[in-house]
Structure formats: structure tokens, C-alpha cells
Amino acid sequence: MLQSATRYLIFFQYIGTKYSGVVKAPPHQAVLGVQNYLEDAVRSLKPVNEAAVFISSRTDTGVHALGNSAHVDIQRREGRSPFKEEELVNALNLYLKPQNIRVTRARKVDSHFSARYRAVSRTYVYRLATGVRHHTHTPLTENKLCWFLPETELDVGAMRVAGSVLLGTHDFSTFRAMSSDAPFKSPVKTLEIAQLEPGVSFASQHFNRNIQHWDLTFKSRSFLYRQVRRMTGALVAVGQGKLRPSDIQDLLEARDSLAFPTNIMAPPYGLFLTQVEYRESGEDEDGSDTGMVTRSLQ
């Protein structure tokens, strides 16, 4: 008699430069998604059931993650016990070793648990670096890991004022890039954190250039398509003097994706999904039991 499948919540990280995004791409496509490799890793464990990984948070081509998550069901052959959590992490990483993808943690969860819908918040950090007038002036260790700006200084005070405008519950239609599912998703989101703080870089400490790093942090239960990159681009434009803080309010009130200024959206490669959190109490938003007690601790 076959044993039932065990559902796991896994946390994983990746450098997104060489992938088509986190979501699975068709197998004939030259560049595949992170999900393709995760499912191949699960398949290498020879489960009885079909290998299917359900991602909690989508990221685009070139976007990175330190703390994305997913759930997966694994049913082992008769007589074989379910994988222990650490055992599963090690087995998946053995297959993933050639890739810039690593599973960091795994937790057994209830069979009805959804990594996507049970998440209570997602945190993104966008990394900026100022004072870089040419790409040859950047340390190789930061290549495609932050957005290098030629300005030696940004108006940080104005950026923080503009960021405060975005806090709270708003219709973020202007900050949403259009996609096929856009008409079916509410543009109303609640932004808990929009914070600009000095960043750090190991390379800059040993690199003879006057490069200043900044981290823009955004936290919400969920985000619209390319919302973080649009918000980042708008705040950087404020820091450069191309927009005023009051223009951010005007953009919010426009509630129109086409009202977003052209050519100011931030590129993908400075963006990191750093954390997906789950309720400590083990209860979902509706009070139902999630069958797990954990959060995305890095």
C-alpha cells in the first residue's frame, strides 16, 4: 500500500541573471526558469507522484531572491519514510549544485497548505549605487546585482518624502505594468514599508572608487506586476530632480498605467526578493489552521 504524499514548504535563493524568471518556461525554450530546475531536482529524488513545485512569489528575468518560497508534494515508494527536512534540503541542493539556485530550508506542512496564498507579507530590497559614470568603474562582484547611477549624490530627503506618499492602502494602477492577468487583479494594495537606507558592499570596502550604496525596501502582502521596479524608478527620479515628491501623489491619483513616465522604470538586476513571511500562530487570514508554525527567517 502506497503512503500518502508529504507536503513541504521550501525556501530558496537564486541569482536571476541567467534565468527567464522564477516561473517555469517551456522545455524547448533556450533560457529556462528557476522552477524548471527545482522540479528537475525533485524529479531526481524519484518520487511516485508527478514533480510539481508551486511558487509563492513571481520574479522576472534578471531579478534575484534570497528568500523565495514554494510548496511541493513528495510521495516515496512503499517502505520508504518521508524525507526529513534537512535530508530533503541536502538532496535537492546536490542536484542544483551546477546552478545559481540553492534551497535554504524545508518544513513539513499540512496537505492543504499553499505557499502563495498563506503568505502574509513579501519584502523586496532594491540595491542602488551612486557615483558610477561607466560600467568599467564597477567591481565585478556587483555585476548585475545593483543599479549603478552616474550621480554622485541623490536627494535622499526628497526620496524619503516621496516614499512616505506610497505608504498605506492605495490604488497602485499607475505603478502596475500591463500584463494578461491585470484586468482580473485588484490594483489596491497596502504598502507597509517604503524605506531608503544606506547599503553595504563587501567589494566597495576594497575597491578604490567613491561608490555609495543605498537600499530601497518595500513590504506588502503582495505586489502588482513590476510595481516595485516602477516605484523604485519613480523614487530615483525624485532623487535625481526629474520628479518632485508631489508628482508621486499625482501618479497615485491618476490610477492609470499609461500615466507612468516613460523610461524611468528601474532595471530588473538590482531587485531582490528577500523574505516571504507566514503567520507564526499557524492560522490563516480567515482563522483556519495552516498546519505549520514558521516564518521566513534568513
Side-chain angles (χ1 to χ4, degrees), residues 128-130 132 138-139 142-144 146-150 211 213 269:
L128 307 169
T130 58
V132 182
T138 63
E142 294 288 0
N143 186 43
K144 300 296 185 182
C146 62
W147 183 12
F148 291 105
L149 301 166
I211 299 175
H213 287 264
Y269 45 77

Side-chain angles (χ1 to χ4, degrees), residues 20 57 75-76 88 102 125 156 176 178 209 218 224 267:
S20 64
S57 309
Q75 182 179 11
R76 305 197 73 186
L88 177 62
R102 292 293 178 272
V125 173
V156 172
R176 169 174 63 182
M178 296 309 295
R209 300 283 181 188
F218 301 97
L224 300 170

Side-chain angles (χ1 to χ4, degrees), residues 3-298:
Q3 63 180 346
S4 59
T6 301
R7 179 162 294 188
Y8 298 87
L9 171 66
I10 62 172
F11 295 95
F12 57 99
Q13 58 183 336
Y14 49 89
I15 300 298
T17 309
K18 62 179 284 189
Y19 305 110
S20 64
V22 71
V23 174
K24 181 165 58 177
H28 61 269
Q29 190 168 297
V31 180
L32 300 178
V34 173
Q35 185 180 7
N36 292 84
Y37 295 98
L38 288 173
E39 291 188 349
D40 285 347
V42 173
R43 205 170 286 117
S44 73
L45 305 179
K46 304 188 184 306
V48 174
N49 59 315
E50 180 182 356
V53 172
F54 297 88
I55 306 293
S56 75
S57 309
R58 297 183 65 161
T59 60
D60 287 340
T61 304
V63 176
H64 319 293
L66 296 178
N68 207 338
S69 60
H71 71 260
V72 59
D73 293 336
I74 299 178
Q75 182 179 11
R76 305 197 73 186
R77 298 185 185 280
E78 184 177 357
R80 308 203 69 175
S81 301
F83 285 105
K84 295 178 181 178
E85 294 159 347
E86 186 175 356
E87 181 185 14
L88 177 62
V89 170
N90 292 337
L92 293 174
N93 283 334
L94 182 64
Y95 182 89
L96 293 167
K97 191 174 182 180
Q99 300 299 324
N100 287 328
I101 306 169
R102 292 293 178 272
V103 176
T104 57
R105 286 198 304 134
R107 292 289 182 271
K108 293 178 182 178
V109 293
D110 183 88
S111 61
H112 300 293
F113 180 87
S114 167
R116 178 182 176 186
Y117 295 109
R118 292 284 171 84
V120 296
S121 72
R122 294 164 173 87
T123 302
Y124 285 86
V125 173
Y126 199 103
R127 301 183 68 233
L128 307 169
T130 58
V132 182
R133 298 192 177 278
H134 194 271
H135 69 87
T136 57
H137 298 168
T138 63
L140 285 174
T141 52
E142 294 288 0
N143 186 43
K144 300 296 185 182
L145 297 176
C146 62
W147 183 12
F148 291 105
L149 301 166
E151 291 81 5
T152 55
E153 291 186 11
L154 296 171
D155 189 338
V156 172
M159 292 176 70
R160 286 173 173 157
V161 171
S164 68
V165 173
L166 297 170
L167 289 172
T169 302
H170 305 283
D171 182 329
F172 282 95
S173 291
T174 303
F175 292 90
R176 169 174 63 182
M178 296 309 295
S179 62
S180 59
D181 60 355
F184 308 103
K185 291 188 175 181
S186 170
V188 177
K189 300 292 178 183
T190 299
L191 191 63
E192 300 175 37
I193 294 175
Q195 178 177 288
L196 176 65
E197 297 293 339
V200 295
S201 168
F202 165 79
S204 293
Q205 296 175 33
H206 304 276
F207 195 67
N208 189 24
R209 300 283 181 188
N210 186 24
I211 299 175
Q212 172 66 57
H213 287 264
W214 296 93
D215 290 345
L216 264 171
T217 303
F218 301 97
K219 180 178 179 180
S220 177
R221 185 175 184 190
S222 61
F223 292 88
L224 300 170
Y225 181 52
R226 294 186 176 173
Q227 179 185 345
V228 175
R229 288 172 58 193
R230 283 196 168 200
M231 291 190 300
T232 297
L235 295 184
V236 168
V238 169
Q240 294 169 325
K242 297 175 182 178
L243 293 177
R244 299 165 299 176
S246 59
D247 292 329
I248 304 302
Q249 183 65 49
D250 294 340
L251 289 173
L252 275 176
E253 292 176 356
R255 299 183 181 88
D256 181 1
S257 179
L258 298 178
F260 190 79
T262 57
N263 302 321
I264 71 165
M265 183 172 71
Y269 45 77
L271 183 58
F272 287 75
L273 171 60
T274 59
Q275 192 172 59
V276 180
E277 291 183 291
Y278 296 91
R279 191 173 299 280
E280 288 274 12
S281 65
E283 290 186 355
D284 195 7
E285 291 294 303
D286 61 2
S288 59
D289 184 13
T290 65
M292 54 87 70
V293 181
T294 186
R295 70 168 60 221
S296 176
L297 300 173
Q298 302 306 315

